[in-house]
Structures are given as structure tokens and as C-alpha cells.
Amino acid sequence: GDGRAAVELAGRLRPDVVVMDVRMPVLDGIEATRLLAGAGVQDPAKVLVVTTFNLDENVYEALRAGASGFLLKEAPPAQLLHGIRTVATGAALLAPEVTRRLVGTYAVRIRPAESAPDDTPLTPRELEVLRLLANGLSNSEIAASLVLSKETVKTFVSRILTKLELRDRVQAVVYAYRRGLVS
């Protein structure tokens, strides 16, 4: 019913994933997320924020508050279920349309690093996958673009994250922009 009740229920029930709306009475979803998963929270909850409002500030504030993912309510049920499962595994998730816009908006704020793209430990194919990922493409879109199976793309993304010692796709996007791999 409201954000305060969501925080209390999540604290008592300890769900695998909390699906949180941004706009709620009493306590908004961003502040509720901060209380459940923010900095300094012992045993933080995994929170997937779902909203009708495709606003950059909502995405940014949800992620800063500790959300593990962000989807739009217009997402088809299969995408919502995929999002819940993804967040449950501890991975991060951003809706592809949100990733594209967010990357475009914040890429100019990311200062390129001194090192050149050729010092990366990635293979040429992994670099190709990373560039597409950084441009906001989903695994399915990358697979179609490179004529690969979705499972092969998942393997490439996993290898990229492992080789670069990155936690999730969001960090991979930042890495790609800092290294000048995409612009």
C-alpha cells in the first residue's frame, strides 16, 4: 500500500527480491529502496524498481539508493519475470531503453582514462560484444547483430565481466566509455 509498509514487510518477510514502485504514498520508492538496500544497510535486500516514469533522475536515484535493477511497467510480463530472476541471482539489470538513454546522457560526464583501448585483455570478439553492450543492446539484440546464439552472448558477457573484474553490465558500460571504446 505504501513505502513504509513495504519496508516493514520486507524486513519481516526477507523476500528474495523486492519489486518497488517509485511513486508511493507515505514513503516514496526511492527512499524505501535506500532503507532496504542503501549504503550501510546490513544484509541489504535485492530491489527491482519498476515504474511508469521513464525519467533519468528516477533511474539515477534508484541506483544510488541501492536498487539492483530498473524496469518500466510497460515491460512485457516475460521481461518482468526475467528482471526478477536476474536481480535474484545478484546481477544488475536496466531496461534496454533506459540503458541507451542513460548512457547517452551520462557518457559525457565520464572522463576517458589515459590508457589506450589496445591494452585491454579482451579478444576482438569480446571487444565487439562490449561495444554493443555499451550502446545499450540486450543480449538478444547483440546475438542478432553478431549472428550468435543468445547463450553465446551470455558467455561472452560473463567472460568480459570476469576478465575486467567488473560486477555487472553497468560497470562494463562505464569501462567502455572510460576506455574510449564507444562514444
Side-chain angles (χ1 to χ4, degrees):
D2 64 66
R4 177 67 59 204
V7 171
E8 290 170 9
L9 280 170
R12 191 164 21 103
L13 301 175
R14 303 301 305 153
D16 294 327
V17 175
V18 174
V19 178
M20 184 75 68
D21 194 352
V22 170
R23 308 249 175 162
M24 292 188 295
V26 182
L27 185 68
D28 69 52
I30 303 296
E31 190 56 34
T33 297
R34 190 171 284 110
L35 293 172
L36 291 170
V41 173
Q42 283 188 332
D43 194 23
K46 295 171 183 164
V47 179
L48 174 63
V49 173
V50 182
T51 184
T52 56
F53 302 98
N54 190 3
L55 302 172
D56 290 343
E57 60 268 14
N58 286 345
V59 178
Y60 180 70
E61 288 303 319
L63 295 175
R64 281 190 49 165
S68 298
F70 192 96
L71 286 176
L72 300 176
K73 284 185 181 176
E74 66 193 34
Q79 188 178 9
L80 179 60
L81 287 173
H82 171 72
I84 292 168
R85 289 182 181 117
T86 298
V87 169
T89 67
L93 174 90
L94 289 177
E97 58 275 342
V98 170
T99 304
R100 285 185 196 103
R101 209 181 63 257
L102 195 62
V103 166
T105 302
Y106 292 101
V108 296
R109 296 182 184 181
I110 300 171
R111 189 170 55 92
E114 297 294 319
S115 55
D118 60 345
D119 71 348
T120 181
L122 302 179
T123 66
R125 186 58 130 184
E126 289 166 343
L127 279 169
E128 199 173 11
V129 170
L130 177 59
R131 284 184 180 103
L132 294 173
L133 184 153
N135 279 309
L137 274 65
S138 68
N139 286 353
S140 297
E141 292 168 327
I142 294 170
S145 175
L146 299 178
V147 192
L148 298 170
S149 73
K150 202 166 129 181
E151 290 74 27
T152 300
V153 172
K154 285 181 184 179
T155 300
F156 275 119
V157 171
S158 178
R159 284 185 192 153
I160 290 165
L161 296 178
T162 300
K163 283 183 174 183
L164 300 177
E165 298 178 5
L166 302 172
R167 184 182 64 235
D168 53 43
R169 292 172 74 99
V170 174
Q171 286 188 342
V173 170
V174 171
Y175 175 92
Y177 274 90
R178 283 197 169 152
R179 293 301 186 114
L181 300 172
V182 288
S183 55

